[in-house]
Amino acid sequence: MNIQTEHRHPNAGPTPYDEVYYPGHVYGLTHPNHLATIAAVYGMQSAPVERCRVLELGCGVGGNLLPMAFQYPISEFVGVDLSGVTIERGQRNIATLGLSNIKLLHCDIMNVDAGFGEFDYIIAHGVYSWVPPAVREKMMMIFKQNLAPRGVCYVSYNAHPFSHLRDMVRDMMRYHTRRLTGMKEKVGQARAILKFLSDGSKANSVHGAVMRDQYNRVLKSPDELLFHDDLDDGAEAFLLHEVAEDASRHGLQYLGDADFSRRYLAGYSEEVRATLQRFPESEFMARDQYQDFIDGNGFRRTLLCHDSISLSRQVDLDFVTRFHLLSTTNPVDPDACVTDDSAMEFENQDGSRVTVTNPLLKAAHLCLGRAWPRALSFDELLDGARALLGDRRADDDQKVLTEAMFILACSGEVSFLLSRPFLLKEATEHPPQASLLARRQAQTGPLVTNLLHQTVQLEDDRTRDFLQLLDGARTIDQITAEMTEKFGPTIRIDQKDSAGQPAEPLLLSTRESVQRSLAMVGKLGLLVA
């Protein structure tokens, strides 16, 4: 990787991000595999994630970019950020993992030029609303200048109409804390004044309802996020059409929302669905803008591409057959009958439930849940479902499964990806190996990144210790022996009942606990091949 500007440090002094660390996270909708997938739905053929170039503007510590580089060693990743402190921290993390395909540069966005080269994917998450107009203009220039001909750009920002309400309480908090500088005091006083104002507002008024809703939002926000996002003097929100029109001036076009499920209209009234569906393909962006007005959307994840690309907005029923499918679905009653027409309920990781009666579809849900976190092609899913039914076949199997997966994919109940995700494996008696990235992250905290570009939380310190032993060198017998030496011959597992209340704890032998933990780590997507 040869970027001539990599040592061009910005002239500005310390930034607020130097003084108050902004935690690095992964954002699944920014992943190149996801971006390529959405582009493919609309008729684009983007660079394969296994061999591509990715640029992230405002990369921070590299919490989003580094896991991508870890997953795809042949691809190249470049991140730039104005905060030298966070870049240095990210560079230390890169060195720890021994990665050579990623560079984090202490660089002003204004200094990104043609010398950086072309990128297949450009990411700007949480930057556009928090920089001055001149920098936003420069970002659009970068999107045009540095985006490969078949490239995809992701840009997120605070959006109206919801941000009108957010800005109202931001004004109140910023006024109250205008003379404070320390993060803890500023954040504490921001929450305090909002509590006072929401408690004092009339309970039966619209204003009072808005104040209480905003106070609950602020109360749940992490300190760092509240400090940088809400208390930033320069934060600005936009309507979708404003960003799309600005992009158009630079030779770019609106590709779509990064969240594909937003175009699913089943949750609206018949009248709203009929109206939105009447928008012609040429007014795709306008349809999304009106949908924002209906939803009261407050944060946008917008995808852009070059305006020379011809896009197709028509999504065919069989589009799911071209992708790899994933779902966390599991039966609520594992003993329910799969082979008849009785109702069988399935639950996803997010708590949503679906009831299925068709045997083929019940078997398909079981296949997806058992395969997770591995992805299945449509043909693999069809063959697996038939196998669970004793290889029973019907002429309309493919049609029935296609129609069901179309609805589930459009609604977000089933994920779909163009490229098969980074290889994962099931737990076996052979020496298991957890992701090196996750093992390093587990040394400092409970939050780790899995191989599906998701943040997962490890249950306790024992699980974090267990993860360190999954280095690919130790057998399960060796792992059991080390866990026994550290925690004893039996391990207590706290449990909760179906209502979430504490239940009788489970006492397991250490070997049983190791097998249980290994299965859990596998389901979290932390094991590599």
Side-chain angles (χ1 to χ4, degrees):
M1 187 181 297
N2 181 23
I3 298 176
Q4 300 300 321
T5 53
E6 65 180 282
H7 298 299
R8 185 187 299 173
H9 297 294
N11 297 323
T15 75
Y17 295 90
D18 289 324
E19 300 167 11
V20 178
Y21 172 61
Y22 195 95
H25 296 294
V26 293
Y27 304 101
L29 297 183
T30 71
H31 195 282
N33 198 3
H34 176 78
L35 302 182
T37 297
I38 301 301
V41 170
Y42 296 127
M44 279 184 66
Q45 185 179 2
S46 301
V49 64
E50 296 84 2
R51 188 183 294 273
C52 66
R53 296 194 79 222
V54 180
L55 170 67
E56 183 169 22
L57 304 178
C59 66
V61 74
N64 187 45
L65 204 61
L66 191 148
M68 300 178 191
F70 176 77
Q71 292 176 336
Y72 300 102
I74 301 179
S75 293
E76 296 182 0
F77 300 85
V78 178
V80 301
D81 200 279
L82 193 59
S83 170
V85 172
T86 54
I87 287 294
E88 287 177 8
R89 185 177 299 192
Q91 289 171 342
R92 289 196 296 270
N93 293 338
I94 291 171
T96 298
L97 292 169
L99 299 177
S100 61
N101 63 331
I102 176 172
K103 286 186 180 294
L104 301 184
L105 311 177
H106 182 204
C107 175
D108 193 322
I109 287 175
M110 300 297 286
N111 290 336
V112 176
D113 55 25
F116 277 67
E118 288 187 346
F119 294 88
D120 302 297
Y121 304 96
I122 298 180
I123 302 164
H125 181 79
V127 179
Y128 195 80
S129 281
W130 293 270
V131 293
V135 180
R136 289 197 292 271
E137 176 72 11
K138 176 64 176 181
M139 289 174 68
M140 285 294 178
M141 293 172 63
I142 293 169
F143 298 160
K144 180 61 180 179
Q145 170 186 267
N146 296 93
L147 189 65
R150 295 183 292 115
V152 178
C153 168
Y154 168 108
V155 55
S156 65
Y157 46 93
N158 281 347
H160 292 313
F162 177 83
S163 285
H164 288 300
L165 306 180
R166 186 205 305 263
D167 288 346
M168 179 182 74
V169 299
R170 281 185 61 243
D171 290 343
M172 299 171 184
M173 291 188 294
R174 287 167 50 233
Y175 174 77
H176 182 67
T177 62
R178 65 193 182 281
R179 294 189 178 92
L180 304 178
T181 56
M183 190 269 282
K184 288 295 182 185
E185 186 180 12
K186 200 174 183 76
V187 165
Q189 281 299 305
R191 291 198 178 104
I193 190 59
L194 209 54
K195 183 180 190 305
F196 170 73
L197 297 173
S198 62
D199 288 347
S201 61
K202 293 182 179 180
N204 61 350
S205 69
V206 173
H207 178 71
V210 170
M211 291 298 295
R212 284 186 292 279
D213 181 67
Q214 287 292 316
Y215 172 63
N216 288 331
R217 178 186 67 82
V218 166
L219 193 61
K220 296 173 184 176
S221 295
D223 289 357
E224 297 83 2
L225 187 145
L226 182 60
F227 178 79
H228 286 300
D229 291 2
D230 280 76
L231 299 178
D232 185 298
D233 290 335
E236 186 173 351
F238 304 91
L239 288 165
L240 164 63
H241 81 86
E242 294 174 324
V243 176
E245 288 165 6
D246 194 23
S248 179
R249 287 194 302 106
H250 290 83
L252 300 163
Q253 65 176 316
Y254 177 65
L255 174 59
D257 194 298
D259 183 356
F260 183 72
S261 67
R262 287 213 67 216
R263 67 172 287 159
Y264 187 60
L265 304 178
Y268 297 98
S269 69
E270 184 176 343
E271 181 182 0
V272 169
R273 285 200 308 272
T275 300
L276 292 177
Q277 287 169 344
R278 281 199 294 269
F279 278 85
E281 184 172 319
S282 60
E283 296 183 22
F284 185 77
M285 184 277 296
R287 196 212 81 154
D288 281 7
Q289 179 65 88
Y290 281 103
Q291 191 175 355
D292 276 3
F293 293 156
I294 295 169
D295 294 344
N297 192 28
F299 191 75
R300 265 223 155 258
R301 302 165 181 87
T302 292
L303 304 186
L304 304 171
C305 64
H306 289 291
D307 60 8
S308 57
I309 294 176
S310 178
L311 299 174
S312 173
R313 304 300 185 179
Q314 182 65 41
V315 179
D316 297 327
L317 185 69
D318 65 351
F319 89 98
V320 289
T321 63
R322 304 192 296 272
F323 297 98
H324 297 89
L325 306 172
L326 306 94
S327 176
T328 58
T329 181
N330 279 302
V332 174
D333 178 8
D335 297 323
C337 183
V338 181
T339 57
D340 63 14
D341 293 329
S342 61
M344 189 171 182
E345 193 174 23
F346 292 86
E347 184 175 29
N348 275 317
Q349 204 170 49
D350 62 4
S352 63
R353 292 191 176 191
V354 60
T355 300
V356 185
T357 57
N358 182 293
L360 179 72
L361 300 184
K362 289 194 286 188
H365 277 79
L366 281 175
C367 284
L368 287 170
R370 291 173 181 177
W372 176 269
R374 292 176 295 112
L376 300 176
S377 69
F378 183 85
D379 288 342
E380 288 171 336
L381 178 59
L382 179 59
D383 290 344
R386 283 170 167 168
L388 285 180
L389 299 176
D391 209 28
R392 191 173 73 194
R393 295 167 180 261
D395 292 340
D396 64 348
D397 279 354
Q398 180 153 345
K399 179 176 180 293
V400 168
L401 187 60
T402 298
E403 291 174 350
M405 289 302 113
F406 173 85
I407 294 172
L408 292 171
C410 288
S411 66
E413 295 290 330
V414 168
S415 300
F416 59 98
L417 291 170
L418 186 62
S419 295
R420 195 183 293 272
F422 189 80
L423 191 59
L424 305 146
K425 72 172 185 179
E426 298 176 356
T428 68
E429 286 295 321
H430 297 291
Q433 182 178 0
S435 154
L436 176 61
L437 172 63
R439 281 185 278 139
R440 292 289 184 266
Q441 291 173 328
Q443 291 173 357
T444 57
L447 299 180
V448 300
T449 303
N450 72 4
L451 296 168
L452 295 174
H453 208 61
Q454 300 169 332
T455 298
V456 297
Q457 182 167 352
L458 302 180
E459 291 178 344
D460 48 36
D461 290 343
R462 185 177 67 243
T463 305
R464 292 169 57 192
D465 288 339
F466 172 73
L467 200 67
Q468 304 305 317
L469 302 178
L470 304 181
D471 58 3
R474 294 173 170 89
T475 64
I476 292 180
D477 286 339
Q478 291 171 323
I479 293 170
T480 300
E482 292 193 42
M483 292 292 286
T484 300
E485 183 178 350
K486 187 163 187 176
F487 296 104
T490 60
I491 290 179
R492 170 189 167 119
I493 306 293
D494 292 328
Q495 297 196 111
K496 293 182 179 180
D497 60 23
S498 58
Q501 299 300 313
E504 187 72 22
L506 189 64
L507 291 178
L508 300 175
S509 70
T510 302
R511 185 174 185 86
E512 289 174 324
S513 173
V514 165
Q515 294 285 7
R516 180 189 175 108
S517 296
L518 195 55
M520 180 268 292
V521 167
K523 281 299 182 183
L524 289 177
L526 298 174
L527 294 181
V528 301

